[in-house]
Amino acid sequence: MSEDAAASGSKSERAYSVIKAHILEGDYSPGYRLVLAKIGEELGVSAVPVREAIRRLEAEGLVTFERNVGATVASIDPVQYLYTMQTLSIVEGAATALSAPLIGAADVARAREVNERMRECLEHFDPVRFTRLNQDFHSVLFEHCPNPHILDLVHRGWNRLGSLRSSTFRFVPGRAHESVEEHEAILRLIETGADADSIEKAARRHRSATLDAYLAQAPSLPQPTPALH
């Protein structure tokens, strides 16, 4: 690879990382027009690496391109969010229950420390930071899952939520307070050696409650079928 090609690739990679971060953090909201020249000027690069970065983001579903409009940040698909959350409530609940016997005191302490940071975040609420901490919390609880297939499905669900750029707490901030308390309740179940069924139901109810709060703000969406316990 020539030095020019390597430099171009490096610039494209940096443009990709910066633009993607702006999208995921909500700085570039759905419908935001991505003007190549403007972004290139801000990054100190030509439009070429920016165009390459935007093509990658388009392939990932984060950006759409329309004739006579150009590149814009893709809109969040609420139906896909609904299906993703329904699926995640099932597989993450199972993963958490299977992980429980393998979660030690240090893991519980780490999860509780994250939950306390979430509680502190409530005072000056930042939905993006809260969502990031929320993922950190749940990762502690499901990462010990001994079933690699279930764990893979959980990761896929979280990644899909990331691609949807959906922070439910942005739309229903009141749900964040309830979420922190439910986290503590799940930790107590794990600490006291509750049976797998109780832990799985608590984890599923926790995820479903977040979905229900979102659906209450979007009544036109198809309603989820009752969970089987």
Side-chain angles (χ1 to χ4, degrees), residues 26-124:
D27 300 324
Y28 294 169
S29 58
Y32 181 88
R33 188 163 175 243
L34 300 167
V35 181
L36 274 63
K38 180 182 177 183
I39 294 174
E41 183 180 345
E42 292 173 351
L43 296 177
V45 300
S46 69
V48 175
V50 177
R51 183 180 296 109
E52 293 173 353
I54 286 177
R55 283 174 179 163
R56 286 179 62 185
L57 294 166
E58 183 181 9
E60 293 178 11
L62 293 176
V63 170
T64 58
F65 187 87
E66 295 181 42
R67 188 181 298 275
N68 301 323
V69 175
T72 59
V73 177
S75 297
I76 295 170
D77 186 335
V79 174
Q80 288 302 312
Y81 172 76
L82 183 155
Y83 293 149
T84 298
M85 287 289 282
Q86 284 182 332
T87 303
L88 196 54
S89 71
I90 296 170
V91 295
E92 189 177 356
T96 301
L98 290 171
S99 293
L102 305 174
I103 295 175
D107 298 309
V108 171
R110 183 156 58 98
R112 186 164 277 129
E113 189 273 330
V114 173
N115 202 41
E116 284 306 309
R117 278 190 281 157
M118 294 178 73
R119 194 185 302 278
E120 293 169 2
C121 186
L122 296 174
E123 186 173 350
H124 301 288

Side-chain angles (χ1 to χ4, degrees), residues 113-156:
E113 189 273 330
V114 173
N115 202 41
E116 284 306 309
R117 278 190 281 157
M118 294 178 73
R119 194 185 302 278
E120 293 169 2
C121 186
L122 296 174
E123 186 173 350
H124 301 288
F125 193 57
D126 178 348
V128 174
R129 180 169 182 266
F130 190 88
T131 296
R132 190 181 301 117
L133 289 170
N134 185 54
Q135 182 170 1
D136 291 343
F137 173 86
H138 285 286
S139 293
V140 177
L141 302 191
F142 65 65
E143 283 296 350
H144 289 291
C145 178
N147 186 319
H149 298 290
I150 292 178
L151 188 57
D152 179 63
L153 291 173
V154 175
H155 286 155
R156 286 171 182 265

